[in-house]
Every structure is written in structure tokens, then in C-alpha cells.
């Protein structure tokens, strides 16, 4: 019970910090606005009707931007901000444990990325009859969780907010661009199949093409494996320096 | 660990690569005592606090805080200590009240206690104000309020009044003396010798990572009062005279006293600053 109270307190602190940081909060809003704006622009030529590949492209764009851009940046920048303002050390010497800080830090960004995923699904215009909603929510949740853990890695390595954005870029390039441009090259498509964002993109393509989607063993292995690897990488970094190197 | 000791350092050393930051530091802090670590910048004061509060591991030696080795500190120990450093951050986008209420939840402290602490630090009128808009002195008072919110058994203060205006510094001194009365032990690092003399029951003079002298401020000053002298201002004179402690001068002073000729008479025992200079050859505040 005591742990839950502390965890809730950390989550509250994080929520206040994130919700009042314009730079961070613009991400999720712009993601939804981007999908909606593209939908309007593409729809102008066709009287509002979008072809399945276009809808797939919009959904893929929204989800990739959300998972990578928002997930990594929201968590990473929030930790970096705490380091920059010297509040992280205060929190860690106030009886909050490492894992309480970890869960408290990712709880709300995880929730928010999932909400934005669903919003993007609505806004993209894909018919809900074509969507396997439980699979979408499950894969979306797993991908959001991985992106939040990667955000923690970004935060642990970053010295300040600017530095956090810089560190997040390579992750964004790999996890966002490779699946998005997977159609352009067979090699990229093969690599994409082994990325958690690639699993999501493949799922959205199935929805748009109205082909039944089920989570394949390889998809599940990719999601579980990348979650495990990211948690392991986080633990190694945390064991070495804690949240802040002295 | 000594009985009544809340904090005990035994032969602590800390090495950063090739530089030895602390050398064989030993000291004890008891309940209701203010212990001052006095030294210039770079002497090792902050390193000592970081070791005691589990933020750094010593290279050798043992630091016991509330009976637990500082390397193995857990949440239960952190709940019993408060830390204030010159770079203790506050959440600038939160109000003063929110800054305290977040930590009150972590420590399971009531809202009434938040009100009480805000009153103590004179910040009741600012509770709805965003912390980012406070002055430096107000921010430091907020940091202090947060550190004592859960009534810690030991309070660590790293240069708490550094760069503050005199009135804020006096308010903080008063609060520390009140906390000592309540039985809180305070570990204070400072390079301000007046602050140390005013507040501390016991001081350790730290220079280049070594304790060069320790004891009560009075004991230390008297120990180095080897050349006793008196400053006198006589009636009708504007110039002060300085007399050594000799039998002849004692007679002279006695006569002046009997004739009511003395306007002012001061003994000239050394201050902590002059003791520090004498022991190390270096000033407390580097110019």
C-alpha cells in the first residue's frame, strides 16, 4: 500500500511536469493533428474518400510518430528535465525507490500513447469492421511499453532536455523510418519485421487491406524480445550509474 | 556505534581517479546537536554529505546513519532524513503548495503539517504562487520547508544560506535553532564561520579532504588563544589600544577600571576563521 502511494505520488509529479511542458505535450497533439490534416488534404481530391493504402499510410504515420516521437521523447525529456532542474536527486533521496520511479515515470506516458493510438485509429478513417480491436490494443500497448522503456534509457543517458532529444533521434530513425519506408526496399521490409514498430505497421496494413490479422509467433517474439532487451539495457545502465551519474 | 549517535563516520576516504577527495574522516553526530563541517570550496564538504546520504560510495571506511551502513540505505532511512543542498531543485511549474503536497504524499504527511511548515518558513502567503516565480531566498525557504516536512531525525544542510540576503539567512538560522530544540540533529556544511560559530555545537575544520581541527567553536578558539591580548578604548580617546596579557598590563587595566577610564574592553581570542588560517595557511573563502 505504501509503495502504491509513493508510486502514485511520482506519477502525479510526472503528470504535472509533462502536462505543463509545452514542448512535450505538443507531440501527441501534433500527431493527431498531422493525421487529421493529411486526411483532409488527401480527401480534397477524392471528395473525402480515401483508398485503403492511403488510410494504411495515415494510420502507420500516426502510430509510428506516436510510438517513437511521443513515447521516447515524453519519458526521456521528462527525466532529463528533472536532472536539469536538480529535482531527480531530491526525489531519489526522499525514500522513492528506483522501481517506484521507473513505474511512476512511464505510467502516464504509457497511458497517453495508448489513448493517442486509439485516437489516430479513429481519425485515420479506417472502418472498425476491418480492425481487430483486441489485437490493435494489445500490440499497441506492447509497443507503447517498449517505447516508454526506451524513453527511460534516453532519460538515463541524457544530461539535459536538449541532449535527450539528440539521444532519442537515432532510436526514432531506426524504429520510425525503417517500418515507414519498408515498402521501398525488400531489405528494409525484412528488417522492419524484426522491429516492434514494424509489427504495428504490418498490422495496420492488414487492417487497411481488409485482411484478417492475428498476432503471429514471430510478432509476439519480436514484441516480447524487444521489451526484454530494452528492460535489460535499462537495468545495466541503472546498475552502473543509477538515474544520475556522479 | 556509539549510544545516542545518529550518525557516525569512521576513517572515511574517497578517491576520484587520481585525486584523494577525503582522507580518514571520522566524526559523530548526536540527537539535538548541530555539527558544522567548515571549509573552503573544494575541501570535501559536499562529497562527505553525498557519502553519508548514500549518493556516493566511500573508497574506504564506514559511514553509519541511524545504525545502517550508508552504502545500504533504503527507503526506511531516507524517510528519516532531510537533505538541503545549494542545488536542491524545486518543481518550478508547480505551486509552492503542490511542491510540498507531492512530498507529503510520499512521506504520508497531513495537509495540516504542510500549513505548519509554511508558517515556520514564512511562506504561507505564497502557497498558490508558482515556485518558478519565487526569489532565490524564497526558493531556499521552500527547499528547507520540504526537507523538514516529515520531521526527519537528521537534517543535512549543504551551504544552506549561500548567496542569500541577511534577513533570509537569519530566518533560516532561527528555524535551525528551533529544530535543534525539538531534538533534530543537523549536519551543516558551510564556509561561513560566523554561521558556524552562531549555530554549531561542534565543528570540524576541513581542508583538502582532511579534518585539521575539531571541537566546540569555543574550545577551538580558546585552544588557539595562545597570545592573550585586550583591545581597550579609553575615555576621551578615539584610538583603540591593544595590551598583551602581562602582570604589568593587568595592574594597568585594573587601575583604569577603578578610575572608570575604560569605555570599551574586549578580549582578542581568535575566530574560527583565524584559527583556520593559522592551521592551514589558507583562508576559508578564496578570493
Amino acid at each position: 500500500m505504501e509503495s502504491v502511494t509513493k508510486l502514485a505520488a511520482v506519477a502525479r509529479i510526472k503528470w504535472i511536469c509533462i502536462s505543463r511542458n509545452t514542448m512535450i505535450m505538443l507531440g501527441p497533439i501534433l500527431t493527431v493533428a498531422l493525421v487529421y490534416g493529411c486526411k483532409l488534404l488527401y480527401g480534397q481530391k477524392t471528395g473525402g474518400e480515401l483508398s485503403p493504402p492511403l488510410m494504411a499510410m495515415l494510420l502507420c504515420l500516426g502510430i509510428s510518430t506516436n510510438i517513437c516521437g511521443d513515447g521516447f521523447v515524453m519519458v526521456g525529456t521528462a527525466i532529463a528535465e528533472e536532472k536539469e532542474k536538480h529535482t531527480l536527486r531530491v526525489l531519489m533521496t526522499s525514500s522513492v525507490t528506483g522501481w517506484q520511479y521507473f513505474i511512476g515515470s512511464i505510467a502516464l506516458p504509457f497511458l497517453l500513447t495508448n489513448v493517442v493510438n486509439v485516437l489516430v485509429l479513429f481519425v485515420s478513417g479506417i472502418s472498425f469492421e476491418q480492425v481487430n480491436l483486441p489485437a490493435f490494443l494489445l500490440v499497441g500497448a506492447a509497443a507503447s511499453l517498449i517505447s516508454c522503456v526506451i524513453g527511460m534509457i534516453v532519460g538515463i543517458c541524457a544530461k539535459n532536455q536538449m541532449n535527450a532529444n539528440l539521444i532519442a533521434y537515432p532510436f526514432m530513425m531506426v524504429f520510425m523510418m525503417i517500418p515507414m519506408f519498408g515498402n521501398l526496399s525488400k531489405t528494409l521490409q525484412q528488417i522492419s519485421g524484426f522491429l516492434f514498430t514494424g509489427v504495428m505497421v504490418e498490422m495496420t496494413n492488414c487492417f487497411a487491406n481488409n485482411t484478417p490479422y492475428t498476432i503471429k509467433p514471430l510478432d509476439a517474439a519480436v514484441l516480447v524480445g524487444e521489451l526484454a532487451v530494452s528492460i535489460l539495457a535499462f537495468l545495466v545502465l541503472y546498475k552502473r550509474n543509477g538515474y544520475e551519474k556522479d | 556505534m556509539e549510544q545516542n549517535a545518529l550518525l557516525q563516520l569512521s576513517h572515511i576516504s574517497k578517491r576520484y581517479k587520481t585525486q584523494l577527495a577525503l582522507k580518514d574522516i571520522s566524526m559523530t553526530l548526536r540527537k539535538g546537536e548541530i555539527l558544522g563541517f567548515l571549509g573552503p570550496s573544494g575541501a570535501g564538504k559536499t562529497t562527505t554529505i553525498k557519502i553519508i546520504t548514500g549518493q556516493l560510495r566511500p573508497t574506504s571506511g564506514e559511514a553509519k546513519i541511524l545504525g545502517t551502513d550508508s552504502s545500504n540505505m533504503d527507503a526506511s532511512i531516507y524517510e528519516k532524513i532531510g537533505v538541503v543542498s545549494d542545488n536542491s531543485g524545486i518543481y518550478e511549474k508547480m505551486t509552492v503548495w503542490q511542491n510540498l503536497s507531492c512530498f507529503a504524499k510520499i512521506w504520508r504527511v497531513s495537509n495540516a503539517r504542510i500549513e505548519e511548515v509554511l508558517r515556520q518558513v514564512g511562506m504561507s502567503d505564497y502557497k498558490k504562487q508558482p515556485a518558478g516565480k519565487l526569489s532565490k531566498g524564497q526558493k531556499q525557504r521552500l527547499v528547507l520547508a520540504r526537507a523538514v516536512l516529515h520531521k526527519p531525525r537528521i537534517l543535512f544542510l549543504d551551504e544552506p544560506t549561500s548567496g542569500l540576503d541577511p534577513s533570509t539567512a537569519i530566518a533560516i538560522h532561527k528555524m535551525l535553532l528551533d529544530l535543534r530544540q525539538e531534538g533534530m540533529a543537523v549536519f551543516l556544511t558551510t564556509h561561513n564561520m560566523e554561521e558556524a560559530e552562531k549555530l554549531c555545537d561542534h565543528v570540524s575544520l576541513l581542508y583538502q579532504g582532511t579534518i585539521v581541527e575539531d571541537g566546540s567553536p569555543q574550545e577551538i578558539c580558546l585552544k588557539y588563544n595562545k597570545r592573550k591580548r585586550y583591545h581597550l578604548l579609553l575615555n576621551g580617546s578615539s584610538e583603540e589600544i591593544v595590551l598583551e596579557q602581562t602582570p604589568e598590563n593587568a595592574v594597568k587595566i585594573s587601575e583604569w577600571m577603578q578610575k572608570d577610564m575604560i569605555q570599551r574592553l574586549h578580549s582578542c581570542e581568535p575566530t574560527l576563521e583565524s584559527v583556520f588560517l593559522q592551521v592551514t595557511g589558507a583562508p576559508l573563502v578564496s578570493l
Side-chain angles (χ1 to χ4, degrees):
Chain A
M1 187 61 201
E2 193 183 301
S3 293
V4 176
T5 315
K6 285 183 186 175
L7 212 149
V10 175
R12 181 176 169 234
I13 291 173
K14 284 288 171 184
W15 176 243
I16 296 175
C17 291
I18 288 173
S19 64
R20 291 180 191 177
N21 188 325
T22 319
M23 196 179 84
I24 299 178
M25 281 314 284
L26 266 178
I29 295 166
L30 282 181
T31 301
V32 180
L34 178 74
V35 174
Y36 186 67
C38 288
K39 187 183 163 189
L40 286 182
L41 283 174
Y42 287 124
Q44 274 183 343
K45 286 183 181 170
T46 56
E49 285 293 312
L50 296 186
S51 63
L54 260 180
M55 282 193 279
M57 196 272 282
L58 287 185
L59 186 58
C60 166
L61 175 73
I63 285 173
S64 302
T65 312
N66 180 41
I67 296 287
C68 298
D70 305 341
F72 298 165
V73 173
M74 207 183 298
V75 178
T77 311
I79 296 178
E81 188 186 10
E82 291 227 62
K83 285 186 183 177
E84 208 176 307
K85 310 275 183 192
H86 305 292
T87 48
L88 181 59
R89 200 172 286 271
V90 176
L91 210 51
M92 299 314 291
T93 53
S94 71
S95 83
V96 168
T97 61
W99 76 267
Q100 282 164 349
Y101 184 76
F102 179 88
I103 297 176
S105 294
I106 65 170
L108 288 161
F110 170 72
L111 200 69
L112 194 62
T113 43
N114 276 290
V115 169
V116 173
N117 271 349
V118 174
L119 280 177
V120 165
L121 182 67
F122 269 105
V123 173
S124 70
I126 283 188
S127 162
F128 271 67
E129 286 166 9
Q130 295 168 231
V131 175
N132 177 349
L133 199 58
F136 178 80
L137 293 177
L138 190 68
V139 174
S144 299
L145 191 58
I146 297 168
S147 83
C148 287
V149 178
I150 294 175
M152 290 297 287
I153 293 171
V154 169
I156 224 169
C157 297
K159 291 186 183 85
N160 52 46
Q161 294 183 76
M162 194 75 94
N163 194 222
N165 287 332
L166 205 67
I167 295 171
Y169 265 117
F171 288 107
M172 281 167 71
M173 285 294 136
V174 171
F175 290 108
M176 191 172 157
M177 295 305 173
I178 292 178
M180 274 181 74
F181 295 108
N183 294 337
L184 302 180
S185 135
K186 201 170 180 190
T187 316
L188 282 182
Q189 200 170 24
Q190 277 174 338
I191 298 171
S192 173
F194 293 99
L195 301 177
F196 71 96
T197 40
V199 173
M200 283 224 71
V201 168
E202 195 195 324
M203 180 180 67
T204 58
N205 285 335
C206 286
F207 294 161
N209 297 329
N210 205 10
T211 48
Y213 176 79
T214 48
I215 303 171
K216 294 191 284 291
L218 179 64
D219 296 344
V222 166
L223 292 174
V224 173
E226 280 173 24
L227 180 62
V229 168
S230 53
I231 290 176
L232 197 69
F234 169 79
L235 286 175
V236 169
L237 287 168
Y238 179 71
K239 279 270 174 200
R240 198 181 292 167
N241 298 326
Y243 284 108
E244 205 168 0
K245 191 181 178 185
D246 232 313
Chain B
M1 194 161 162
E2 184 190 310
Q3 221 177 5
N4 293 328
L6 300 181
L7 173 68
Q8 198 156 30
L9 300 189
S10 310
H11 310 292
I12 290 285
S13 295
K14 176 70 187 174
R15 181 183 286 280
Y16 293 106
K17 289 182 183 164
T18 54
Q19 189 204 351
L20 198 56
L22 289 178
K23 298 165 207 160
D24 198 29
I25 302 290
S26 297
M27 59 102 203
T28 304
L29 175 66
R30 294 167 195 86
K31 189 181 174 191
E33 184 181 66
I34 301 184
L35 172 74
F37 242 43
L38 194 61
S41 301
K45 304 186 297 286
T46 304
T47 302
T48 309
I49 283 202
K50 284 187 175 174
I51 287 173
I52 299 169
T53 54
Q55 298 173 60
L56 270 181
R57 281 175 188 269
T59 308
S60 63
E62 190 184 55
K64 285 217 166 198
I65 178 163
L66 299 167
T68 302
D69 194 300
S70 70
S71 307
N72 304 320
M73 279 172 77
D74 58 13
S76 67
I77 300 293
Y78 280 120
E79 282 183 356
K80 292 173 191 147
I81 66 168
V83 184
V84 173
S85 69
D86 58 348
N87 62 2
S88 284
I90 50 170
Y91 291 98
E92 297 192 342
K93 286 165 193 159
M94 294 186 193
T95 62
V96 168
W97 178 270
Q98 282 174 328
N99 261 283
L100 294 179
S101 77
C102 285
F103 286 87
K105 287 207 166 51
I106 291 171
W107 292 316
R108 300 173 304 283
V109 166
S110 68
N111 285 352
R113 173 67 185 156
I114 301 178
E115 296 277 8
E116 185 188 341
V117 169
L118 280 174
R119 253 195 323 275
Q120 277 182 318
V121 296
M123 294 283 290
S124 296
D125 295 339
Y126 301 93
K127 61 184 174 188
K128 288 181 183 164
Q129 192 155 321
K133 291 191 175 167
L134 299 174
S135 69
K136 191 179 176 190
Q138 289 168 333
K139 281 180 185 168
Q140 190 68 348
R141 280 194 266 171
L142 174 59
V143 168
L144 188 58
R146 182 180 62 198
V148 299
L149 189 62
H150 55 308
K151 295 186 177 172
R153 292 180 66 194
I154 309 176
L155 180 62
F156 293 93
L157 302 168
D158 190 6
E159 307 273 3
T161 56
S162 171
L164 295 185
D165 62 277
S167 64
T168 308
I170 288 167
I172 288 178
H173 290 165
K174 187 185 173 303
M175 191 176 172
L176 293 181
L177 292 170
D178 290 345
L179 291 170
R180 180 180 64 175
Q181 283 295 110
E182 291 169 19
M184 197 180 287
V186 180
F187 184 94
L188 170 79
T189 74
T190 181
H191 63 256
N192 182 340
M193 61 95 194
E194 277 178 35
E195 186 170 73
E197 274 179 346
K198 182 177 168 187
L199 298 175
C200 299
D201 302 297
H202 195 102
V203 293
S204 296
L205 304 186
L206 194 67
Y207 183 64
Q208 293 181 341
T210 308
I211 295 178
V212 290
E213 192 56 81
D214 76 333
S216 74
Q218 191 176 318
E219 268 170 21
I220 293 177
C221 293
L222 292 178
K223 183 177 168 187
Y224 286 86
N225 191 18
K226 287 175 181 155
R227 196 173 145 221
K228 291 178 185 162
R229 290 174 304 155
Y230 302 93
H231 279 210
L232 290 111
L233 186 66
L234 298 176
N235 291 339
S237 168
S238 59
E239 265 187 45
E240 227 175 36
I241 52 172
V242 181
L243 296 179
E244 299 275 339
Q245 168 78 54
T246 60
E248 301 81 50
N249 284 339
V251 171
K252 206 186 276 181
I253 291 170
S254 171
E255 278 175 11
W256 285 336
M257 274 184 138
Q258 280 171 9
K259 292 177 186 170
D260 193 21
M261 287 171 67
I262 298 175
Q263 269 193 45
R264 204 169 62 203
L265 169 63
H266 288 297
S267 59
C268 303
E269 65 272 15
T271 60
L272 281 176
E273 186 152 28
S274 55
V275 169
F276 193 87
L277 190 64
Q278 196 179 329
V279 173
T280 64
L284 265 172
V285 183
S286 36
L287 299 171

